[in-house]
Amino acid sequence: MFQAILFDFDGTLVDFVDADLQSLRWLHVHSGAAVSCEAFLETAVDAIMAFHQLVAEQAVDPLLMHRWRLQNTFARYDLSWDDAYVDLYRAQLIEACVPFVGVEPLLAQVRHKAKTGLISNAYDVQEQRARIAHAGLDRYFDSIVIACEVGSYKPEPDIFWHALAQLGVAPEDALYIGDSVTHDIAGAKAAGMRAALLSRTPRPAPLADYIVSSIAELHQLL
């Protein structure tokens, strides 16, 4: 029996991709962008991937993510830019943050069995905490760690150790659950924890101690 069970947030407990696309579609309509929604979305997705690479290279301020991404998307099609678009998009992103079906019953069950933690790789502390609260999930965790607050990002083991220290639990007595092999599973194992991969599409994960394909399967595992 584990003394602590910790979770990733985006992609594991909530669908960030869907929320992001919803927010981008809303902004496309609101701005009256003279380009197809499909092209707008494709460019925005490419831009966010490029931004993450720049962050990894320490070539850009992570907190500029929304502005950099949206400005580059608008510039790609010579669309008129308004600084207000950043806050409008952010508000939509928070509003669209809802948990996957079955997540709340799962977390309620886990809290009766072990200490609980959440580790997110987000760049913006206030925005991520607002998204967690809007999803109604903050009440289920004894510890919530946002990467930019501690200066360590998954898969670095430090961020896992930081969360475990807050919970007062040793790595070997804790389980971490996430949807990324590279960031969640590799990071948790490097920190000395057990790791469960929540993969909604089949893929190899030799480092994972457990692999589940749905919240329902995860519920059964825990």
Side-chain angles (χ1 to χ4, degrees), residues 7 25 84 96 104 111 199 218:
F7 297 82
R25 290 189 188 100
E104 290 200 68
R111 275 188 70 78
S199 178
L218 183 57

Side-chain angles (χ1 to χ4, degrees), residues 64-84:
L64 296 178
M65 179 174 69
H66 296 325
R67 178 175 298 277
W68 189 96
R69 177 204 199 180
L70 294 175
Q71 280 187 324
N72 277 275
T73 299
F74 275 71
R76 168 68 176 78
Y77 300 104
D78 295 320
L79 302 173
S80 178
W81 172 255
D82 187 330
D83 285 343

Side-chain angles (χ1 to χ4, degrees), residues 35 57 62-63 72 79 90 99 101 105 131 150 160 164 171 173 187 196:
V35 62
E57 297 169 358
L63 291 178
N72 277 275
L79 302 173
R90 180 180 285 112
V101 174
R131 293 181 65 241
V150 298
F160 296 91
L164 290 169
D173 295 323

Side-chain angles (χ1 to χ4, degrees), residues 75-217:
R76 168 68 176 78
Y77 300 104
D78 295 320
L79 302 173
S80 178
W81 172 255
D82 187 330
D83 285 343
Y85 290 158
V86 177
D87 288 336
L88 289 171
Y89 165 83
R90 180 180 285 112
Q92 291 296 314
L93 189 65
I94 294 171
E95 185 69 23
C97 187
V98 296
F100 285 115
V101 174
V103 162
E104 290 200 68
L106 169 71
L107 295 178
Q109 174 198 14
V110 170
R111 275 188 70 78
H112 290 298
K113 297 183 176 183
K115 295 180 179 180
T116 55
L118 183 71
I119 302 177
S120 170
N121 251 11
Y123 303 141
D124 189 317
V125 176
Q126 291 184 340
E127 176 183 289
Q128 194 69 343
R129 288 192 177 274
R131 293 181 65 241
I132 295 167
H134 185 274
L137 301 184
D138 50 342
R139 57 186 171 173
Y140 293 108
F141 298 105
D142 301 304
S143 169
I144 296 177
V145 174
I146 312 296
C148 53
E149 288 183 301
V150 298
S152 176
Y153 289 81
K154 296 180 289 186
E156 297 169 3
D158 288 0
I159 190 170
F160 296 91
W161 292 330
H162 183 88
L164 290 169
Q166 289 190 345
L167 295 172
V169 175
E172 60 269 22
D173 295 323
L175 172 69
Y176 188 78
I177 301 161
D179 69 311
S180 169
V181 174
T182 302
H183 296 96
D184 296 316
I185 304 307
K189 296 300 290 184
M193 303 171 68
R194 294 285 187 90
L197 176 69
L198 175 55
S199 178
R200 294 174 174 86
T201 55
R203 54 180 156 153
L207 285 178
D209 297 289
Y210 313 97
I211 300 177
V212 295
S213 61
S214 66
I215 294 295
E217 282 190 24

